[in-house]
Amino acid sequence: MDGEVMRRTWWVERAMAPWRGLWTWLLWVPGVLLLVALNSALTLAPVGVGVLLLAPVLVLARSLADVYRREINKWTDTRIERPYLPAPEPERGLTGVLHRLRWLVSDPATWRDLLWLAADPLVGAFTAALPALLILYGVWGWLLAGGMADVITVHGGQDWYGFIQIGGPRALDASGEPATAVLGTVLIVAGFLSGPKLLNVYGRWGRVLLGPTEASRLKLRVQHLTETRSDAVDASAAELRRIERDLHDGAQARLVAMGMSLGAIEHLLDKDPEKARVLLAEAREASATALRELRDLVRGIHPPVLADRGLAEAREASATALRELRDLVRGIHPPVLADRGLADAVRALALDLPLKVETDIELAGRPEPPVESAAYFAVSEVLANAVKHSGARRVWLDMRHDGGMLRITITDDGRGGASPENGSGLRGIERRLGTFDGVLALSSPAGGPTIVTMELPCTLT
């Protein structure tokens, strides 16, 4: 059964390949029309009209090249990816038209497409279309052998079929007609048998001009990695916000209720022991539920629960757990950062430090939430280093957005000597910023001052 299927596939492939190649080759007709339109646009470019026509013509050329790629991918063993560089953000007006034209003209793939359209009529005729042309020419030989030779030559047609003369003084005789039929048969068989191989040769030729170069493939890979990284960062930020909401609305609320219950139990213990026992049972259940929720949300968080150490100690333990939980929620995503943005969050951070911090912040909007969070925690880590290790008395913080780049400079008047190799958290800051293609530069000579400069590419909204 498998052998029969393979034989059927073999025959179908050779029967269809010549016509698939012929169809693909005939795409040169709209290709030539596009080349004529391109020539007209270039001719009219000095008067301005051609500039407006050039971009649409190049876009149509790309669309036709995509049709070639699709047909080659479908009918040959070659796979061709789209080689074009990432498109710029769309803009309105004449400026947008000119920027789009510059993007099209500066992309090497555009010129490779045009070269393909110019060369394909000739190259395709000797590769993809050749089997179908051989078959058609072979059928023509059969017609000649069947008696049409005299009619054709009488009306001024060609006197030769291949190397066989069919008109003139040495026209076909009884022995020449079989030779014409045999030659036609050979051409038909050759066309069907060579169809798949020549179609694959055509596909490899297409990959040379229509496929991406190593440079464009690298740029496309960088674009793909940037997009997937952005998706992963957004998903991570969304997950952190979910954990924050669950902690705030679930376990934290239960711990607050448990603390209030323990306070009421202390007052009722002597007056109404029975009611105190009921509240104690509720407090135990609340603490157990809160603990389960915390374990489900964040591994490794084990707040104190109500034990047999006395109500005062249990109440203090619940208050400690609540403080730890609030610190955890604040560390995941500070409320001031979510509510008021990076500028106000950094100002609030500076006010909490035991050092005098002068801030100069100029931001016309807010970065994307993942970038905003990374910048905030990077600033927080640098300021914490200044407090713990530098011996500084004053810190200057400058933050502004310019040329698509968020620049943050933090200077302190401490003893200096900071280095990423000293375990001061600077490596972690570099990794945090590197997730968004950000960089960190450090200048910290012995005796100070220490200057930390951070840059993050981003847009403000």
PDB file of all heavy atoms in Angstrom, residues 227-258:
ATOM      1  N   GLU A 227      11.021  41.634  21.053  1.00  0.00           N
ATOM      2  CA  GLU A 227       9.581  41.515  21.251  1.00  0.00           C
ATOM      3  C   GLU A 227       9.246  40.452  22.291  1.00  0.00           C
ATOM      4  O   GLU A 227       8.401  40.675  23.168  1.00  0.00           O
ATOM      5  CB  GLU A 227       8.910  41.180  19.917  1.00  0.00           C
ATOM      6  CG  GLU A 227       8.966  42.322  18.899  1.00  0.00           C
ATOM      7  CD  GLU A 227       8.424  41.905  17.550  1.00  0.00           C
ATOM      8  OE1 GLU A 227       8.153  40.697  17.381  1.00  0.00           O
ATOM      9  OE2 GLU A 227       8.270  42.778  16.672  1.00  0.00           O
ATOM     10  N   THR A 228       9.912  39.289  22.208  1.00  0.00           N
ATOM     11  CA  THR A 228       9.615  38.235  23.178  1.00  0.00           C
ATOM     12  C   THR A 228      10.067  38.626  24.585  1.00  0.00           C
ATOM     13  O   THR A 228       9.407  38.298  25.565  1.00  0.00           O
ATOM     14  CB  THR A 228      10.296  36.922  22.761  1.00  0.00           C
ATOM     15  OG1 THR A 228      11.716  37.144  22.587  1.00  0.00           O
ATOM     16  CG2 THR A 228       9.718  36.417  21.452  1.00  0.00           C
ATOM     17  N   ARG A 229      11.198  39.339  24.671  1.00  0.00           N
ATOM     18  CA  ARG A 229      11.638  39.794  25.984  1.00  0.00           C
ATOM     19  C   ARG A 229      10.654  40.791  26.572  1.00  0.00           C
ATOM     20  O   ARG A 229      10.325  40.740  27.762  1.00  0.00           O
ATOM     21  CB  ARG A 229      13.019  40.433  25.887  1.00  0.00           C
ATOM     22  CG  ARG A 229      13.576  40.878  27.233  1.00  0.00           C
ATOM     23  CD  ARG A 229      14.845  41.682  27.077  1.00  0.00           C
ATOM     24  NE  ARG A 229      14.597  42.903  26.339  1.00  0.00           N
ATOM     25  CZ  ARG A 229      15.551  43.738  25.965  1.00  0.00           C
ATOM     26  NH1 ARG A 229      16.794  43.477  26.218  1.00  0.00           N
ATOM     27  NH2 ARG A 229      15.246  44.840  25.301  1.00  0.00           N
ATOM     28  N   SER A 230      10.158  41.698  25.727  1.00  0.00           N
ATOM     29  CA  SER A 230       9.174  42.667  26.201  1.00  0.00           C
ATOM     30  C   SER A 230       7.918  41.958  26.683  1.00  0.00           C
ATOM     31  O   SER A 230       7.350  42.321  27.727  1.00  0.00           O
ATOM     32  CB  SER A 230       8.838  43.651  25.075  1.00  0.00           C
ATOM     33  OG  SER A 230       7.850  44.565  25.489  1.00  0.00           O
ATOM     34  N   ASP A 231       7.476  40.930  25.946  1.00  0.00           N
ATOM     35  CA  ASP A 231       6.298  40.178  26.374  1.00  0.00           C
ATOM     36  C   ASP A 231       6.554  39.485  27.712  1.00  0.00           C
ATOM     37  O   ASP A 231       5.680  39.460  28.592  1.00  0.00           O
ATOM     38  CB  ASP A 231       5.925  39.140  25.315  1.00  0.00           C
ATOM     39  CG  ASP A 231       5.438  39.789  24.025  1.00  0.00           C
ATOM     40  OD1 ASP A 231       5.044  40.974  24.085  1.00  0.00           O
ATOM     41  OD2 ASP A 231       5.465  39.119  22.982  1.00  0.00           O
ATOM     42  N   ALA A 232       7.756  38.905  27.857  1.00  0.00           N
ATOM     43  CA  ALA A 232       8.072  38.217  29.113  1.00  0.00           C
ATOM     44  C   ALA A 232       8.127  39.196  30.278  1.00  0.00           C
ATOM     45  O   ALA A 232       7.634  38.899  31.388  1.00  0.00           O
ATOM     46  CB  ALA A 232       9.409  37.488  28.982  1.00  0.00           C
ATOM     47  N   VAL A 233       8.715  40.377  30.055  1.00  0.00           N
ATOM     48  CA  VAL A 233       8.788  41.380  31.127  1.00  0.00           C
ATOM     49  C   VAL A 233       7.396  41.860  31.503  1.00  0.00           C
ATOM     50  O   VAL A 233       7.067  42.013  32.680  1.00  0.00           O
ATOM     51  CB  VAL A 233       9.682  42.553  30.684  1.00  0.00           C
ATOM     52  CG1 VAL A 233       9.577  43.714  31.673  1.00  0.00           C
ATOM     53  CG2 VAL A 233      11.134  42.098  30.594  1.00  0.00           C
ATOM     54  N   ASP A 234       6.534  42.096  30.491  1.00  0.00           N
ATOM     55  CA  ASP A 234       5.172  42.536  30.784  1.00  0.00           C
ATOM     56  C   ASP A 234       4.414  41.467  31.558  1.00  0.00           C
ATOM     57  O   ASP A 234       3.660  41.771  32.494  1.00  0.00           O
ATOM     58  CB  ASP A 234       4.435  42.856  29.479  1.00  0.00           C
ATOM     59  CG  ASP A 234       4.976  44.110  28.817  1.00  0.00           C
ATOM     60  OD1 ASP A 234       5.647  44.901  29.512  1.00  0.00           O
ATOM     61  OD2 ASP A 234       4.739  44.290  27.609  1.00  0.00           O
ATOM     62  N   ALA A 235       4.603  40.204  31.166  1.00  0.00           N
ATOM     63  CA  ALA A 235       3.931  39.120  31.883  1.00  0.00           C
ATOM     64  C   ALA A 235       4.425  39.021  33.316  1.00  0.00           C
ATOM     65  O   ALA A 235       3.637  38.802  34.251  1.00  0.00           O
ATOM     66  CB  ALA A 235       4.155  37.789  31.148  1.00  0.00           C
ATOM     67  N   SER A 236       5.740  39.197  33.507  1.00  0.00           N
ATOM     68  CA  SER A 236       6.287  39.159  34.864  1.00  0.00           C
ATOM     69  C   SER A 236       5.746  40.304  35.713  1.00  0.00           C
ATOM     70  O   SER A 236       5.382  40.114  36.882  1.00  0.00           O
ATOM     71  CB  SER A 236       7.818  39.230  34.799  1.00  0.00           C
ATOM     72  OG  SER A 236       8.369  39.269  36.088  1.00  0.00           O
ATOM     73  N   ALA A 237       5.671  41.513  35.123  1.00  0.00           N
ATOM     74  CA  ALA A 237       5.140  42.652  35.865  1.00  0.00           C
ATOM     75  C   ALA A 237       3.673  42.433  36.222  1.00  0.00           C
ATOM     76  O   ALA A 237       3.233  42.764  37.330  1.00  0.00           O
ATOM     77  CB  ALA A 237       5.309  43.927  35.046  1.00  0.00           C
ATOM     78  N   ALA A 238       2.905  41.865  35.277  1.00  0.00           N
ATOM     79  CA  ALA A 238       1.497  41.599  35.565  1.00  0.00           C
ATOM     80  C   ALA A 238       1.344  40.563  36.675  1.00  0.00           C
ATOM     81  O   ALA A 238       0.457  40.677  37.540  1.00  0.00           O
ATOM     82  CB  ALA A 238       0.799  41.118  34.286  1.00  0.00           C
ATOM     83  N   GLU A 239       2.224  39.552  36.672  1.00  0.00           N
ATOM     84  CA  GLU A 239       2.160  38.540  37.728  1.00  0.00           C
ATOM     85  C   GLU A 239       2.506  39.135  39.089  1.00  0.00           C
ATOM     86  O   GLU A 239       1.871  38.820  40.103  1.00  0.00           O
ATOM     87  CB  GLU A 239       3.114  37.392  37.390  1.00  0.00           C
ATOM     88  CG  GLU A 239       3.100  36.239  38.394  1.00  0.00           C
ATOM     89  CD  GLU A 239       1.773  35.513  38.428  1.00  0.00           C
ATOM     90  OE1 GLU A 239       0.943  35.717  37.524  1.00  0.00           O
ATOM     91  OE2 GLU A 239       1.558  34.749  39.382  1.00  0.00           O
ATOM     92  N   LEU A 240       3.501  40.025  39.125  1.00  0.00           N
ATOM     93  CA  LEU A 240       3.835  40.678  40.392  1.00  0.00           C
ATOM     94  C   LEU A 240       2.676  41.531  40.896  1.00  0.00           C
ATOM     95  O   LEU A 240       2.396  41.574  42.104  1.00  0.00           O
ATOM     96  CB  LEU A 240       5.089  41.536  40.219  1.00  0.00           C
ATOM     97  CG  LEU A 240       6.415  40.783  40.114  1.00  0.00           C
ATOM     98  CD1 LEU A 240       7.547  41.756  39.835  1.00  0.00           C
ATOM     99  CD2 LEU A 240       6.698  40.001  41.398  1.00  0.00           C
ATOM    100  N   ARG A 241       2.011  42.233  39.971  1.00  0.00           N
ATOM    101  CA  ARG A 241       0.860  43.040  40.398  1.00  0.00           C
ATOM    102  C   ARG A 241      -0.267  42.154  40.912  1.00  0.00           C
ATOM    103  O   ARG A 241      -0.975  42.519  41.857  1.00  0.00           O
ATOM    104  CB  ARG A 241       0.375  43.906  39.233  1.00  0.00           C
ATOM    105  CG  ARG A 241       1.318  45.051  38.899  1.00  0.00           C
ATOM    106  CD  ARG A 241       0.656  46.073  37.978  1.00  0.00           C
ATOM    107  NE  ARG A 241       0.381  45.531  36.660  1.00  0.00           N
ATOM    108  CZ  ARG A 241       1.249  45.553  35.662  1.00  0.00           C
ATOM    109  NH1 ARG A 241       2.447  46.104  35.825  1.00  0.00           N
ATOM    110  NH2 ARG A 241       0.935  45.046  34.482  1.00  0.00           N
ATOM    111  N   ARG A 242      -0.435  40.980  40.295  1.00  0.00           N
ATOM    112  CA  ARG A 242      -1.462  40.058  40.791  1.00  0.00           C
ATOM    113  C   ARG A 242      -1.138  39.582  42.202  1.00  0.00           C
ATOM    114  O   ARG A 242      -2.017  39.534  43.079  1.00  0.00           O
ATOM    115  CB  ARG A 242      -1.581  38.857  39.849  1.00  0.00           C
ATOM    116  CG  ARG A 242      -2.677  37.877  40.257  1.00  0.00           C
ATOM    117  CD  ARG A 242      -2.552  36.572  39.508  1.00  0.00           C
ATOM    118  NE  ARG A 242      -1.359  35.848  39.878  1.00  0.00           N
ATOM    119  CZ  ARG A 242      -1.253  35.107  40.986  1.00  0.00           C
ATOM    120  NH1 ARG A 242      -2.261  35.026  41.841  1.00  0.00           N
ATOM    121  NH2 ARG A 242      -0.133  34.470  41.248  1.00  0.00           N
ATOM    122  N   ILE A 243       0.155  39.223  42.428  1.00  0.00           N
ATOM    123  CA  ILE A 243       0.562  38.793  43.767  1.00  0.00           C
ATOM    124  C   ILE A 243       0.348  39.916  44.771  1.00  0.00           C
ATOM    125  O   ILE A 243      -0.127  39.699  45.893  1.00  0.00           O
ATOM    126  CB  ILE A 243       2.030  38.344  43.747  1.00  0.00           C
ATOM    127  CG1 ILE A 243       2.182  37.074  42.898  1.00  0.00           C
ATOM    128  CG2 ILE A 243       2.547  38.103  45.149  1.00  0.00           C
ATOM    129  CD1 ILE A 243       3.614  36.632  42.713  1.00  0.00           C
ATOM    130  N   GLU A 244       0.681  41.145  44.347  1.00  0.00           N
ATOM    131  CA  GLU A 244       0.495  42.284  45.240  1.00  0.00           C
ATOM    132  C   GLU A 244      -0.976  42.441  45.621  1.00  0.00           C
ATOM    133  O   GLU A 244      -1.313  42.633  46.793  1.00  0.00           O
ATOM    134  CB  GLU A 244       0.993  43.553  44.555  1.00  0.00           C
ATOM    135  CG  GLU A 244       0.734  44.831  45.343  1.00  0.00           C
ATOM    136  CD  GLU A 244       0.849  46.058  44.473  1.00  0.00           C
ATOM    137  OE1 GLU A 244       1.189  45.926  43.300  1.00  0.00           O
ATOM    138  OE2 GLU A 244       0.578  47.147  44.993  1.00  0.00           O
ATOM    139  N   ARG A 245      -1.870  42.346  44.620  1.00  0.00           N
ATOM    140  CA  ARG A 245      -3.301  42.487  44.917  1.00  0.00           C
ATOM    141  C   ARG A 245      -3.786  41.369  45.832  1.00  0.00           C
ATOM    142  O   ARG A 245      -4.552  41.605  46.775  1.00  0.00           O
ATOM    143  CB  ARG A 245      -4.100  42.473  43.612  1.00  0.00           C
ATOM    144  CG  ARG A 245      -3.952  43.727  42.770  1.00  0.00           C
ATOM    145  CD  ARG A 245      -5.027  43.777  41.689  1.00  0.00           C
ATOM    146  NE  ARG A 245      -4.977  42.601  40.831  1.00  0.00           N
ATOM    147  CZ  ARG A 245      -4.255  42.517  39.723  1.00  0.00           C
ATOM    148  NH1 ARG A 245      -3.502  43.529  39.334  1.00  0.00           N
ATOM    149  NH2 ARG A 245      -4.278  41.420  38.997  1.00  0.00           N
ATOM    150  N   ASP A 246      -3.326  40.140  45.531  1.00  0.00           N
ATOM    151  CA  ASP A 246      -3.781  39.017  46.357  1.00  0.00           C
ATOM    152  C   ASP A 246      -3.284  39.143  47.787  1.00  0.00           C
ATOM    153  O   ASP A 246      -4.007  38.826  48.745  1.00  0.00           O
ATOM    154  CB  ASP A 246      -3.303  37.700  45.744  1.00  0.00           C
ATOM    155  CG  ASP A 246      -4.033  37.384  44.442  1.00  0.00           C
ATOM    156  OD1 ASP A 246      -5.048  38.051  44.167  1.00  0.00           O
ATOM    157  OD2 ASP A 246      -3.574  36.485  43.714  1.00  0.00           O
ATOM    158  N   LEU A 247      -2.040  39.576  47.962  1.00  0.00           N
ATOM    159  CA  LEU A 247      -1.519  39.774  49.305  1.00  0.00           C
ATOM    160  C   LEU A 247      -2.277  40.871  50.042  1.00  0.00           C
ATOM    161  O   LEU A 247      -2.621  40.750  51.213  1.00  0.00           O
ATOM    162  CB  LEU A 247      -0.030  40.111  49.252  1.00  0.00           C
ATOM    163  CG  LEU A 247       0.918  38.983  48.863  1.00  0.00           C
ATOM    164  CD1 LEU A 247       2.327  39.526  48.692  1.00  0.00           C
ATOM    165  CD2 LEU A 247       0.914  37.882  49.912  1.00  0.00           C
ATOM    166  N   HIS A 248      -2.540  41.967  49.307  1.00  0.00           N
ATOM    167  CA  HIS A 248      -3.199  43.103  49.947  1.00  0.00           C
ATOM    168  C   HIS A 248      -4.651  42.785  50.289  1.00  0.00           C
ATOM    169  O   HIS A 248      -5.131  43.103  51.385  1.00  0.00           O
ATOM    170  CB  HIS A 248      -3.131  44.310  49.021  1.00  0.00           C
ATOM    171  CG  HIS A 248      -3.718  45.558  49.605  1.00  0.00           C
ATOM    172  ND1 HIS A 248      -5.066  45.830  49.528  1.00  0.00           N
ATOM    173  CD2 HIS A 248      -3.148  46.576  50.291  1.00  0.00           C
ATOM    174  CE1 HIS A 248      -5.309  46.976  50.143  1.00  0.00           C
ATOM    175  NE2 HIS A 248      -4.170  47.463  50.605  1.00  0.00           N
ATOM    176  N   ASP A 249      -5.341  42.145  49.355  1.00  0.00           N
ATOM    177  CA  ASP A 249      -6.774  41.915  49.550  1.00  0.00           C
ATOM    178  C   ASP A 249      -7.070  40.645  50.336  1.00  0.00           C
ATOM    179  O   ASP A 249      -8.158  40.522  50.904  1.00  0.00           O
ATOM    180  CB  ASP A 249      -7.478  41.829  48.188  1.00  0.00           C
ATOM    181  CG  ASP A 249      -7.337  43.114  47.395  1.00  0.00           C
ATOM    182  OD1 ASP A 249      -7.097  44.161  48.025  1.00  0.00           O
ATOM    183  OD2 ASP A 249      -7.451  43.067  46.153  1.00  0.00           O
ATOM    184  N   GLY A 250      -6.130  39.704  50.345  1.00  0.00           N
ATOM    185  CA  GLY A 250      -6.406  38.439  51.005  1.00  0.00           C
ATOM    186  C   GLY A 250      -5.702  38.280  52.331  1.00  0.00           C
ATOM    187  O   GLY A 250      -6.266  38.557  53.402  1.00  0.00           O
ATOM    188  N   ALA A 251      -4.431  37.843  52.295  1.00  0.00           N
ATOM    189  CA  ALA A 251      -3.723  37.513  53.533  1.00  0.00           C
ATOM    190  C   ALA A 251      -3.569  38.716  54.446  1.00  0.00           C
ATOM    191  O   ALA A 251      -3.707  38.608  55.672  1.00  0.00           O
ATOM    192  CB  ALA A 251      -2.343  36.942  53.175  1.00  0.00           C
ATOM    193  N   GLN A 252      -3.270  39.894  53.873  1.00  0.00           N
ATOM    194  CA  GLN A 252      -3.086  41.070  54.734  1.00  0.00           C
ATOM    195  C   GLN A 252      -4.378  41.411  55.461  1.00  0.00           C
ATOM    196  O   GLN A 252      -4.366  41.719  56.660  1.00  0.00           O
ATOM    197  CB  GLN A 252      -2.627  42.263  53.880  1.00  0.00           C
ATOM    198  CG  GLN A 252      -2.408  43.532  54.675  1.00  0.00           C
ATOM    199  CD  GLN A 252      -1.773  44.624  53.824  1.00  0.00           C
ATOM    200  OE1 GLN A 252      -0.667  44.451  53.340  1.00  0.00           O
ATOM    201  NE2 GLN A 252      -2.465  45.729  53.662  1.00  0.00           N
ATOM    202  N   ALA A 253      -5.509  41.363  54.759  1.00  0.00           N
ATOM    203  CA  ALA A 253      -6.784  41.664  55.408  1.00  0.00           C
ATOM    204  C   ALA A 253      -7.087  40.656  56.506  1.00  0.00           C
ATOM    205  O   ALA A 253      -7.616  41.016  57.581  1.00  0.00           O
ATOM    206  CB  ALA A 253      -7.895  41.676  54.366  1.00  0.00           C
ATOM    207  N   ARG A 254      -6.761  39.385  56.285  1.00  0.00           N
ATOM    208  CA  ARG A 254      -7.012  38.372  57.310  1.00  0.00           C
ATOM    209  C   ARG A 254      -6.137  38.605  58.538  1.00  0.00           C
ATOM    210  O   ARG A 254      -6.572  38.416  59.681  1.00  0.00           O
ATOM    211  CB  ARG A 254      -6.760  36.976  56.729  1.00  0.00           C
ATOM    212  CG  ARG A 254      -7.728  36.603  55.623  1.00  0.00           C
ATOM    213  CD  ARG A 254      -7.510  35.177  55.146  1.00  0.00           C
ATOM    214  NE  ARG A 254      -8.293  34.877  53.982  1.00  0.00           N
ATOM    215  CZ  ARG A 254      -9.585  34.544  54.009  1.00  0.00           C
ATOM    216  NH1 ARG A 254     -10.207  34.469  55.180  1.00  0.00           N
ATOM    217  NH2 ARG A 254     -10.238  34.290  52.892  1.00  0.00           N
ATOM    218  N   LEU A 255      -4.885  38.997  58.328  1.00  0.00           N
ATOM    219  CA  LEU A 255      -4.019  39.265  59.466  1.00  0.00           C
ATOM    220  C   LEU A 255      -4.495  40.479  60.264  1.00  0.00           C
ATOM    221  O   LEU A 255      -4.387  40.517  61.496  1.00  0.00           O
ATOM    222  CB  LEU A 255      -2.584  39.475  58.987  1.00  0.00           C
ATOM    223  CG  LEU A 255      -1.862  38.206  58.527  1.00  0.00           C
ATOM    224  CD1 LEU A 255      -0.506  38.567  57.925  1.00  0.00           C
ATOM    225  CD2 LEU A 255      -1.673  37.241  59.685  1.00  0.00           C
ATOM    226  N   VAL A 256      -5.015  41.503  59.561  1.00  0.00           N
ATOM    227  CA  VAL A 256      -5.590  42.655  60.282  1.00  0.00           C
ATOM    228  C   VAL A 256      -6.762  42.210  61.136  1.00  0.00           C
ATOM    229  O   VAL A 256      -6.883  42.584  62.325  1.00  0.00           O
ATOM    230  CB  VAL A 256      -6.023  43.738  59.269  1.00  0.00           C
ATOM    231  CG1 VAL A 256      -6.826  44.831  59.969  1.00  0.00           C
ATOM    232  CG2 VAL A 256      -4.809  44.351  58.586  1.00  0.00           C
ATOM    233  N   ALA A 257      -7.653  41.394  60.539  1.00  0.00           N
ATOM    234  CA  ALA A 257      -8.800  40.897  61.302  1.00  0.00           C
ATOM    235  C   ALA A 257      -8.352  40.040  62.476  1.00  0.00           C
ATOM    236  O   ALA A 257      -8.926  40.105  63.577  1.00  0.00           O
ATOM    237  CB  ALA A 257      -9.732  40.108  60.377  1.00  0.00           C
ATOM    238  N   MET A 258      -7.300  39.232  62.271  1.00  0.00           N
ATOM    239  CA  MET A 258      -6.810  38.387  63.360  1.00  0.00           C
ATOM    240  C   MET A 258      -6.259  39.236  64.496  1.00  0.00           C
ATOM    241  O   MET A 258      -6.473  38.955  65.681  1.00  0.00           O
ATOM    242  CB  MET A 258      -5.731  37.440  62.836  1.00  0.00           C
ATOM    243  CG  MET A 258      -5.259  36.410  63.868  1.00  0.00           C
ATOM    244  SD  MET A 258      -3.983  35.327  63.222  1.00  0.00           S
ATOM    245  CE  MET A 258      -2.596  36.431  63.150  1.00  0.00           C
TER     246      MET A 258
END
